[in-house]
Amino acid sequence: MDPLLAFAGLGVGVIVGLTGMGGGALMTPILVLFFGVPPLAAVSSDLAASAVMKPFGGWVHARRGSVNWGLVRWLCVGSVPSAFLGVLLMRAIGGGDSVQDVVRIALGVALLLAVAGLLIKTYRRSRDSGGGTAAVVVRPVPTLLLGAVGGLVVGMTSVGSGSLIIVILLALYPALAPRDLVGTDLVQAIPLVVAAALGHALFGDLKLDLAAAVLVGSVPGVLLGARLSARAPAGVVRAALVIVLIASALKLFAVPTNLVLLVVALATAAAVVEGLRRRRRPEDRDTDGESKTKGAESASGVSPR
């Protein structure tokens, strides 16, 4: 078992615990780019690790009542069979290098979609910082289609169970409270990643030694990240996640290293400037920290100043 791989799993697990997303979007490209793991093996191993890691977060949210089980049901109706279909599509494309190239390109596209989703979510959060708790009416057909699309992407790339589905859920159900959004997504992702992992295992893509090494680090990482989530600046974590995802996607597209470094430098500079701009405005200084206080004040009938 590679200790460096376990350490990478620890880092990714911490980010998942902090942000509720980023597992497949980070771990799979790390396996491909830094450890030289073939894309199909990386996807299947990450899915197997996620199938064990995600129930920890889902169990916590289920105990706290922050799961919309109606949404979970319809998402799973679409995502579970679609995840198997994603695996079958990858096998039908062909064998050898052609499959690996398709997985690599599909993974890069999924990472860029995840970046777009994170930016949209951040923008919506800045506009609607209250996080209302209005009743949510489940729309079966759009929810089932979301599950089907998400399952297909996850089955092919292992990316999307958190980074993509949670964002589209936010667009479909803007009244869903943030903690219910995360809890619902974590719980629906459990059968989704299990289905995708089983599909890969049936075709012999799963590497148990890789999955075990990732789990050794990721499980305690998730628990640690969950404990730190109340203290760490969420904006900093989101900015770092976006930069890492962009760099990983560009490398998967075989973009020259110098250009990747330039893009990372520009993205980092933009994040720093945005952070400084927000710190100068008192109303934006502690948006993440104040949301809970505002929610409590609203629930008690006390209007914030």
PDB file of all heavy atoms in Angstrom, residues 109-137:
ATOM      1  N   VAL A 109     -13.930  17.000 -19.321  1.00  0.00           N
ATOM      2  CA  VAL A 109     -15.177  17.744 -19.528  1.00  0.00           C
ATOM      3  C   VAL A 109     -15.986  17.796 -18.233  1.00  0.00           C
ATOM      4  O   VAL A 109     -16.535  18.844 -17.852  1.00  0.00           O
ATOM      5  CB  VAL A 109     -16.001  17.112 -20.661  1.00  0.00           C
ATOM      6  CG1 VAL A 109     -17.380  17.755 -20.750  1.00  0.00           C
ATOM      7  CG2 VAL A 109     -15.273  17.245 -21.992  1.00  0.00           C
ATOM      8  N   ALA A 110     -16.064  16.658 -17.532  1.00  0.00           N
ATOM      9  CA  ALA A 110     -16.821  16.615 -16.277  1.00  0.00           C
ATOM     10  C   ALA A 110     -16.220  17.552 -15.236  1.00  0.00           C
ATOM     11  O   ALA A 110     -16.944  18.198 -14.470  1.00  0.00           O
ATOM     12  CB  ALA A 110     -16.863  15.181 -15.743  1.00  0.00           C
ATOM     13  N   LEU A 111     -14.897  17.647 -15.203  1.00  0.00           N
ATOM     14  CA  LEU A 111     -14.247  18.547 -14.248  1.00  0.00           C
ATOM     15  C   LEU A 111     -14.585  20.004 -14.554  1.00  0.00           C
ATOM     16  O   LEU A 111     -14.836  20.800 -13.642  1.00  0.00           O
ATOM     17  CB  LEU A 111     -12.732  18.354 -14.278  1.00  0.00           C
ATOM     18  CG  LEU A 111     -12.205  17.011 -13.754  1.00  0.00           C
ATOM     19  CD1 LEU A 111     -10.690  17.017 -13.729  1.00  0.00           C
ATOM     20  CD2 LEU A 111     -12.746  16.706 -12.373  1.00  0.00           C
ATOM     21  N   LEU A 112     -14.583  20.370 -15.830  1.00  0.00           N
ATOM     22  CA  LEU A 112     -14.938  21.745 -16.188  1.00  0.00           C
ATOM     23  C   LEU A 112     -16.398  22.039 -15.855  1.00  0.00           C
ATOM     24  O   LEU A 112     -16.734  23.153 -15.423  1.00  0.00           O
ATOM     25  CB  LEU A 112     -14.668  21.975 -17.674  1.00  0.00           C
ATOM     26  CG  LEU A 112     -13.190  21.971 -18.093  1.00  0.00           C
ATOM     27  CD1 LEU A 112     -13.061  22.241 -19.579  1.00  0.00           C
ATOM     28  CD2 LEU A 112     -12.392  23.015 -17.306  1.00  0.00           C
ATOM     29  N   LEU A 113     -17.277  21.050 -16.047  1.00  0.00           N
ATOM     30  CA  LEU A 113     -18.670  21.223 -15.647  1.00  0.00           C
ATOM     31  C   LEU A 113     -18.787  21.397 -14.136  1.00  0.00           C
ATOM     32  O   LEU A 113     -19.604  22.181 -13.643  1.00  0.00           O
ATOM     33  CB  LEU A 113     -19.507  20.030 -16.103  1.00  0.00           C
ATOM     34  CG  LEU A 113     -19.746  19.906 -17.611  1.00  0.00           C
ATOM     35  CD1 LEU A 113     -20.472  18.605 -17.933  1.00  0.00           C
ATOM     36  CD2 LEU A 113     -20.529  21.096 -18.134  1.00  0.00           C
ATOM     37  N   ALA A 114     -17.952  20.667 -13.399  1.00  0.00           N
ATOM     38  CA  ALA A 114     -17.953  20.805 -11.941  1.00  0.00           C
ATOM     39  C   ALA A 114     -17.507  22.204 -11.537  1.00  0.00           C
ATOM     40  O   ALA A 114     -18.050  22.795 -10.597  1.00  0.00           O
ATOM     41  CB  ALA A 114     -17.033  19.750 -11.316  1.00  0.00           C
ATOM     42  N   VAL A 115     -16.495  22.756 -12.227  1.00  0.00           N
ATOM     43  CA  VAL A 115     -16.040  24.119 -11.946  1.00  0.00           C
ATOM     44  C   VAL A 115     -17.183  25.108 -12.183  1.00  0.00           C
ATOM     45  O   VAL A 115     -17.442  25.993 -11.360  1.00  0.00           O
ATOM     46  CB  VAL A 115     -14.827  24.475 -12.824  1.00  0.00           C
ATOM     47  CG1 VAL A 115     -14.515  25.966 -12.729  1.00  0.00           C
ATOM     48  CG2 VAL A 115     -13.617  23.669 -12.390  1.00  0.00           C
ATOM     49  N   ALA A 116     -17.852  24.961 -13.343  1.00  0.00           N
ATOM     50  CA  ALA A 116     -18.977  25.842 -13.639  1.00  0.00           C
ATOM     51  C   ALA A 116     -20.056  25.726 -12.567  1.00  0.00           C
ATOM     52  O   ALA A 116     -20.639  26.737 -12.131  1.00  0.00           O
ATOM     53  CB  ALA A 116     -19.555  25.505 -15.016  1.00  0.00           C
ATOM     54  N   GLY A 117     -20.311  24.497 -12.119  1.00  0.00           N
ATOM     55  CA  GLY A 117     -21.312  24.297 -11.086  1.00  0.00           C
ATOM     56  C   GLY A 117     -20.946  24.961  -9.774  1.00  0.00           C
ATOM     57  O   GLY A 117     -21.776  25.590  -9.116  1.00  0.00           O
ATOM     58  N   LEU A 118     -19.690  24.851  -9.391  1.00  0.00           N
ATOM     59  CA  LEU A 118     -19.240  25.486  -8.151  1.00  0.00           C
ATOM     60  C   LEU A 118     -19.377  27.007  -8.229  1.00  0.00           C
ATOM     61  O   LEU A 118     -19.784  27.651  -7.264  1.00  0.00           O
ATOM     62  CB  LEU A 118     -17.789  25.102  -7.872  1.00  0.00           C
ATOM     63  CG  LEU A 118     -17.545  23.699  -7.329  1.00  0.00           C
ATOM     64  CD1 LEU A 118     -16.055  23.393  -7.314  1.00  0.00           C
ATOM     65  CD2 LEU A 118     -18.114  23.556  -5.925  1.00  0.00           C
ATOM     66  N   LEU A 119     -19.013  27.586  -9.370  1.00  0.00           N
ATOM     67  CA  LEU A 119     -19.111  29.033  -9.524  1.00  0.00           C
ATOM     68  C   LEU A 119     -20.567  29.493  -9.487  1.00  0.00           C
ATOM     69  O   LEU A 119     -20.898  30.515  -8.876  1.00  0.00           O
ATOM     70  CB  LEU A 119     -18.454  29.460 -10.839  1.00  0.00           C
ATOM     71  CG  LEU A 119     -16.939  29.237 -10.913  1.00  0.00           C
ATOM     72  CD1 LEU A 119     -16.414  29.620 -12.292  1.00  0.00           C
ATOM     73  CD2 LEU A 119     -16.214  30.034  -9.835  1.00  0.00           C
ATOM     74  N   ILE A 120     -21.459  28.722 -10.143  1.00  0.00           N
ATOM     75  CA  ILE A 120     -22.881  29.065 -10.119  1.00  0.00           C
ATOM     76  C   ILE A 120     -23.431  28.972  -8.704  1.00  0.00           C
ATOM     77  O   ILE A 120     -24.185  29.840  -8.240  1.00  0.00           O
ATOM     78  CB  ILE A 120     -23.672  28.143 -11.068  1.00  0.00           C
ATOM     79  CG1 ILE A 120     -23.282  28.432 -12.521  1.00  0.00           C
ATOM     80  CG2 ILE A 120     -25.173  28.315 -10.864  1.00  0.00           C
ATOM     81  CD1 ILE A 120     -23.850  27.439 -13.513  1.00  0.00           C
ATOM     82  N   LYS A 121     -23.026  27.926  -7.994  1.00  0.00           N
ATOM     83  CA  LYS A 121     -23.506  27.762  -6.624  1.00  0.00           C
ATOM     84  C   LYS A 121     -23.038  28.912  -5.735  1.00  0.00           C
ATOM     85  O   LYS A 121     -23.794  29.440  -4.918  1.00  0.00           O
ATOM     86  CB  LYS A 121     -23.020  26.428  -6.057  1.00  0.00           C
ATOM     87  CG  LYS A 121     -23.560  26.147  -4.655  1.00  0.00           C
ATOM     88  CD  LYS A 121     -23.024  24.849  -4.131  1.00  0.00           C
ATOM     89  CE  LYS A 121     -23.552  24.614  -2.716  1.00  0.00           C
ATOM     90  NZ  LYS A 121     -23.005  23.388  -2.111  1.00  0.00           N
ATOM     91  N   THR A 122     -21.778  29.328  -5.884  1.00  0.00           N
ATOM     92  CA  THR A 122     -21.250  30.433  -5.097  1.00  0.00           C
ATOM     93  C   THR A 122     -21.999  31.721  -5.412  1.00  0.00           C
ATOM     94  O   THR A 122     -22.332  32.507  -4.513  1.00  0.00           O
ATOM     95  CB  THR A 122     -19.749  30.617  -5.377  1.00  0.00           C
ATOM     96  OG1 THR A 122     -19.067  29.391  -5.069  1.00  0.00           O
ATOM     97  CG2 THR A 122     -19.176  31.734  -4.518  1.00  0.00           C
ATOM     98  N   TYR A 123     -22.279  31.948  -6.709  1.00  0.00           N
ATOM     99  CA  TYR A 123     -23.001  33.156  -7.124  1.00  0.00           C
ATOM    100  C   TYR A 123     -24.407  33.173  -6.539  1.00  0.00           C
ATOM    101  O   TYR A 123     -24.874  34.193  -6.012  1.00  0.00           O
ATOM    102  CB  TYR A 123     -23.058  33.210  -8.646  1.00  0.00           C
ATOM    103  CG  TYR A 123     -23.920  34.324  -9.186  1.00  0.00           C
ATOM    104  CD1 TYR A 123     -23.512  35.648  -9.095  1.00  0.00           C
ATOM    105  CD2 TYR A 123     -25.142  34.027  -9.779  1.00  0.00           C
ATOM    106  CE1 TYR A 123     -24.305  36.663  -9.591  1.00  0.00           C
ATOM    107  CE2 TYR A 123     -25.944  35.038 -10.278  1.00  0.00           C
ATOM    108  CZ  TYR A 123     -25.528  36.360 -10.186  1.00  0.00           C
ATOM    109  OH  TYR A 123     -26.315  37.353 -10.675  1.00  0.00           O
ATOM    110  N   ARG A 124     -25.086  32.032  -6.607  1.00  0.00           N
ATOM    111  CA  ARG A 124     -26.449  31.956  -6.067  1.00  0.00           C
ATOM    112  C   ARG A 124     -26.445  32.130  -4.559  1.00  0.00           C
ATOM    113  O   ARG A 124     -27.335  32.750  -3.986  1.00  0.00           O
ATOM    114  CB  ARG A 124     -27.110  30.631  -6.444  1.00  0.00           C
ATOM    115  CG  ARG A 124     -27.438  30.499  -7.922  1.00  0.00           C
ATOM    116  CD  ARG A 124     -28.130  29.174  -8.184  1.00  0.00           C
ATOM    117  NE  ARG A 124     -29.394  29.114  -7.474  1.00  0.00           N
ATOM    118  CZ  ARG A 124     -30.555  29.507  -7.985  1.00  0.00           C
ATOM    119  NH1 ARG A 124     -30.607  29.999  -9.198  1.00  0.00           N
ATOM    120  NH2 ARG A 124     -31.669  29.410  -7.279  1.00  0.00           N
ATOM    121  N   ARG A 125     -25.422  31.595  -3.912  1.00  0.00           N
ATOM    122  CA  ARG A 125     -25.341  31.727  -2.456  1.00  0.00           C
ATOM    123  C   ARG A 125     -25.143  33.186  -2.062  1.00  0.00           C
ATOM    124  O   ARG A 125     -25.680  33.653  -1.057  1.00  0.00           O
ATOM    125  CB  ARG A 125     -24.200  30.866  -1.912  1.00  0.00           C
ATOM    126  CG  ARG A 125     -24.040  30.971  -0.405  1.00  0.00           C
ATOM    127  CD  ARG A 125     -22.985  30.015   0.095  1.00  0.00           C
ATOM    128  NE  ARG A 125     -23.422  28.637  -0.032  1.00  0.00           N
ATOM    129  CZ  ARG A 125     -22.685  27.597   0.328  1.00  0.00           C
ATOM    130  NH1 ARG A 125     -21.471  27.785   0.812  1.00  0.00           N
ATOM    131  NH2 ARG A 125     -23.142  26.375   0.184  1.00  0.00           N
ATOM    132  N   SER A 126     -24.345  33.928  -2.836  1.00  0.00           N
ATOM    133  CA  SER A 126     -24.115  35.338  -2.525  1.00  0.00           C
ATOM    134  C   SER A 126     -25.381  36.168  -2.714  1.00  0.00           C
ATOM    135  O   SER A 126     -25.578  37.179  -2.051  1.00  0.00           O
ATOM    136  CB  SER A 126     -22.993  35.901  -3.405  1.00  0.00           C
ATOM    137  OG  SER A 126     -23.400  35.927  -4.760  1.00  0.00           O
ATOM    138  N   ARG A 127     -26.253  35.722  -3.643  1.00  0.00           N
ATOM    139  CA  ARG A 127     -27.506  36.436  -3.868  1.00  0.00           C
ATOM    140  C   ARG A 127     -28.580  36.047  -2.861  1.00  0.00           C
ATOM    141  O   ARG A 127     -29.385  36.873  -2.451  1.00  0.00           O
ATOM    142  CB  ARG A 127     -28.030  36.137  -5.279  1.00  0.00           C
ATOM    143  CG  ARG A 127     -27.175  36.710  -6.388  1.00  0.00           C
ATOM    144  CD  ARG A 127     -27.783  36.421  -7.733  1.00  0.00           C
ATOM    145  NE  ARG A 127     -29.141  36.949  -7.826  1.00  0.00           N
ATOM    146  CZ  ARG A 127     -29.992  36.641  -8.797  1.00  0.00           C
ATOM    147  NH1 ARG A 127     -29.626  35.789  -9.741  1.00  0.00           N
ATOM    148  NH2 ARG A 127     -31.205  37.159  -8.812  1.00  0.00           N
ATOM    149  N   ASP A 128     -28.590  34.782  -2.474  1.00  0.00           N
ATOM    150  CA  ASP A 128     -29.619  34.269  -1.563  1.00  0.00           C
ATOM    151  C   ASP A 128     -28.944  33.691  -0.334  1.00  0.00           C
ATOM    152  O   ASP A 128     -28.879  32.484  -0.167  1.00  0.00           O
ATOM    153  CB  ASP A 128     -30.478  33.192  -2.246  1.00  0.00           C
ATOM    154  CG  ASP A 128     -31.032  33.665  -3.580  1.00  0.00           C
ATOM    155  OD1 ASP A 128     -31.617  34.753  -3.620  1.00  0.00           O
ATOM    156  OD2 ASP A 128     -30.860  32.937  -4.572  1.00  0.00           O
ATOM    157  N   SER A 129     -28.417  34.566   0.513  1.00  0.00           N
ATOM    158  CA  SER A 129     -27.646  34.094   1.669  1.00  0.00           C
ATOM    159  C   SER A 129     -28.528  33.589   2.784  1.00  0.00           C
ATOM    160  O   SER A 129     -28.053  33.012   3.746  1.00  0.00           O
ATOM    161  CB  SER A 129     -26.756  35.224   2.210  1.00  0.00           C
ATOM    162  OG  SER A 129     -27.553  36.340   2.582  1.00  0.00           O
ATOM    163  N   GLY A 130     -29.867  33.805   2.678  1.00  0.00           N
ATOM    164  CA  GLY A 130     -30.730  33.407   3.775  1.00  0.00           C
ATOM    165  C   GLY A 130     -30.935  31.925   3.877  1.00  0.00           C
ATOM    166  O   GLY A 130     -31.138  31.393   4.943  1.00  0.00           O
ATOM    167  N   GLY A 131     -30.942  31.206   2.723  1.00  0.00           N
ATOM    168  CA  GLY A 131     -31.138  29.762   2.738  1.00  0.00           C
ATOM    169  C   GLY A 131     -32.472  29.373   3.311  1.00  0.00           C
ATOM    170  O   GLY A 131     -32.559  28.783   4.378  1.00  0.00           O
ATOM    171  N   GLY A 132     -33.544  29.751   2.640  1.00  0.00           N
ATOM    172  CA  GLY A 132     -34.878  29.569   3.178  1.00  0.00           C
ATOM    173  C   GLY A 132     -35.218  28.121   3.449  1.00  0.00           C
ATOM    174  O   GLY A 132     -34.624  27.202   2.923  1.00  0.00           O
ATOM    175  N   THR A 133     -36.247  27.943   4.277  1.00  0.00           N
ATOM    176  CA  THR A 133     -36.662  26.602   4.653  1.00  0.00           C
ATOM    177  C   THR A 133     -38.104  26.350   4.204  1.00  0.00           C
ATOM    178  O   THR A 133     -38.837  25.648   4.878  1.00  0.00           O
ATOM    179  CB  THR A 133     -36.538  26.412   6.181  1.00  0.00           C
ATOM    180  OG1 THR A 133     -37.298  27.437   6.833  1.00  0.00           O
ATOM    181  CG2 THR A 133     -35.093  26.500   6.615  1.00  0.00           C
ATOM    182  N   ALA A 134     -38.532  26.977   3.087  1.00  0.00           N
ATOM    183  CA  ALA A 134     -39.886  26.776   2.591  1.00  0.00           C
ATOM    184  C   ALA A 134     -40.076  25.321   2.175  1.00  0.00           C
ATOM    185  O   ALA A 134     -39.128  24.614   1.864  1.00  0.00           O
ATOM    186  CB  ALA A 134     -40.153  27.711   1.411  1.00  0.00           C
ATOM    187  N   ALA A 135     -41.366  24.908   2.180  1.00  0.00           N
ATOM    188  CA  ALA A 135     -41.670  23.533   1.803  1.00  0.00           C
ATOM    189  C   ALA A 135     -41.251  23.286   0.352  1.00  0.00           C
ATOM    190  O   ALA A 135     -41.445  24.126  -0.525  1.00  0.00           O
ATOM    191  CB  ALA A 135     -43.164  23.269   1.982  1.00  0.00           C
ATOM    192  N   VAL A 136     -40.691  22.119   0.114  1.00  0.00           N
ATOM    193  CA  VAL A 136     -40.203  21.761  -1.212  1.00  0.00           C
ATOM    194  C   VAL A 136     -41.160  20.746  -1.822  1.00  0.00           C
ATOM    195  O   VAL A 136     -41.410  19.690  -1.240  1.00  0.00           O
ATOM    196  CB  VAL A 136     -38.779  21.173  -1.135  1.00  0.00           C
ATOM    197  CG1 VAL A 136     -38.328  20.673  -2.499  1.00  0.00           C
ATOM    198  CG2 VAL A 136     -37.805  22.216  -0.611  1.00  0.00           C
ATOM    199  N   VAL A 137     -41.693  21.070  -2.999  1.00  0.00           N
ATOM    200  CA  VAL A 137     -42.581  20.167  -3.723  1.00  0.00           C
ATOM    201  C   VAL A 137     -41.734  19.394  -4.735  1.00  0.00           C
ATOM    202  O   VAL A 137     -41.144  19.987  -5.637  1.00  0.00           O
ATOM    203  CB  VAL A 137     -43.699  20.938  -4.440  1.00  0.00           C
ATOM    204  CG1 VAL A 137     -44.588  19.981  -5.228  1.00  0.00           C
ATOM    205  CG2 VAL A 137     -44.523  21.737  -3.438  1.00  0.00           C
TER     206      VAL A 137
END
